[in-house]
Amino acid sequence: AHGRYLVMAGSPIGGEEDKIFICATDIAGTWLNDGAPNDAVNISLGSRVSTGSQTIKGLGRFRGQLMVMFEEVVLPGTLGVFDEGDHEPTFSDAIENVGAIGHRIIQTVGENMYFGDSNGVLSIRRALITGTVTEDSQSDLVDPAYRASINNIKSTIALEDRVWSLWDSANHNYMVFIPDAAGADETTEFRCMVYKRNKKLKIEAWQDWRN
């Protein structure tokens, strides 16, 4: 859910892995080609992806913008833009060389968003002067351990389905759970890498929870 819209990403139909489906304004169950009133729209975004897979990995939100996550590209988009009654969301920018390994690792936290790709954990930030949206690495202290755990999983499907995260609001923890094997039968541990951030107390720290 984003603003006045429900957005779905991807499709089981071949060739539509890069498509987002946006419901009619304020009508979550109305999609393209349903009855009026209907300003729903579908958009294919693969042509805007210059590197990596064109399959959408997940969706997030950052300060009013929809963030469409690919393997190596993040596309910030603005919904609610109309031209003579037609809904025409804008995707005028791209953050390249970062992305997400799957939807379950993405967490929108207040006015921030955390996500992880194959190299580390990142957040989104807005440049103070220009207002440009860009990425900000959060995991420099634990990148080698994070990469080692991610690289243990050779299956793309396992990365998408079995690496997951949650936001512990009581303790200000962004928690990433990484299995030590691709299959459930072979898994003996979910390694939990915990990023604690509390701006008021000026805390930014990582913990590694094992066993």
Side-chain angles (χ1 to χ4, degrees):
H2 177 71
R4 302 170 69 185
Y5 304 95
L6 180 65
V7 184
M8 297 191 295
S11 169
I13 300 174
E16 294 190 351
E17 298 87 354
D18 67 337
K19 185 175 285 188
I20 59 171
F21 305 81
I22 305 172
C23 77
T25 306
D26 296 326
I27 313 174
T30 300
W31 304 94
L32 189 68
N33 299 322
D34 286 345
N38 186 1
D39 56 21
V41 62
N42 300 345
I43 305 174
S44 295
L45 297 172
S47 62
R48 295 170 170 83
V49 177
S50 58
T51 59
S53 170
Q54 295 184 354
T55 298
I56 295 174
K57 294 291 188 174
L59 301 172
R61 300 185 304 276
F62 176 73
R63 297 189 179 185
Q65 288 188 288
L66 176 72
M67 311 300 288
V68 184
M69 317 289 290
F70 293 84
E71 183 180 55
E72 295 182 15
V73 175
V74 180
L75 296 180
T78 302
L79 307 189
V81 179
F82 288 85
D83 182 6
E84 297 183 354
D86 295 327
H87 189 191
E88 296 187 356
T90 60
F91 291 86
S92 57
D93 197 6
I95 306 172
E96 298 183 340
N97 300 315
V98 298
I101 60 175
H103 184 74
R104 297 183 179 191
I105 203 169
I106 303 169
Q107 293 290 333
T108 297
V109 181
E111 294 188 345
N112 206 343
M113 189 183 79
Y114 297 106
F115 60 99
D117 60 13
S118 58
N119 294 311
V121 172
L122 305 103
S123 66
I124 296 293
R125 64 182 175 88
R126 191 187 301 277
L128 185 61
I129 304 298
T130 64
T132 304
V133 176
T134 185
E135 86 286 352
D136 191 12
S137 175
Q138 303 296 332
S139 59
D140 295 341
L141 293 173
V142 296
D143 277 346
Y146 174 90
R147 291 172 188 154
S149 295
I150 291 295
N151 289 337
N152 276 336
I153 307 172
K154 307 300 182 183
S155 164
T156 299
I157 294 176
L159 284 171
E160 294 173 345
D161 291 348
R162 305 196 68 229
V163 177
W164 57 283
S165 68
L166 61 82
W167 171 251
D168 174 7
S169 58
N171 296 297
H172 301 273
N173 289 338
Y174 170 73
M175 308 169 69
V176 180
F177 296 84
I178 308 171
D180 60 2
D185 293 342
E186 297 82 29
T187 300
T188 60
E189 176 192 32
F190 273 84
R191 185 176 190 172
C192 180
M193 308 194 77
V194 183
Y195 177 50
K196 179 183 289 291
R197 183 175 186 182
N198 188 320
K199 291 182 67 175
K200 290 184 178 180
L201 298 180
K202 298 182 179 179
I203 295 173
E204 287 188 67
W206 279 91
Q207 301 171 23
D208 191 8
W209 295 1
R210 305 300 302 267
N211 301 314

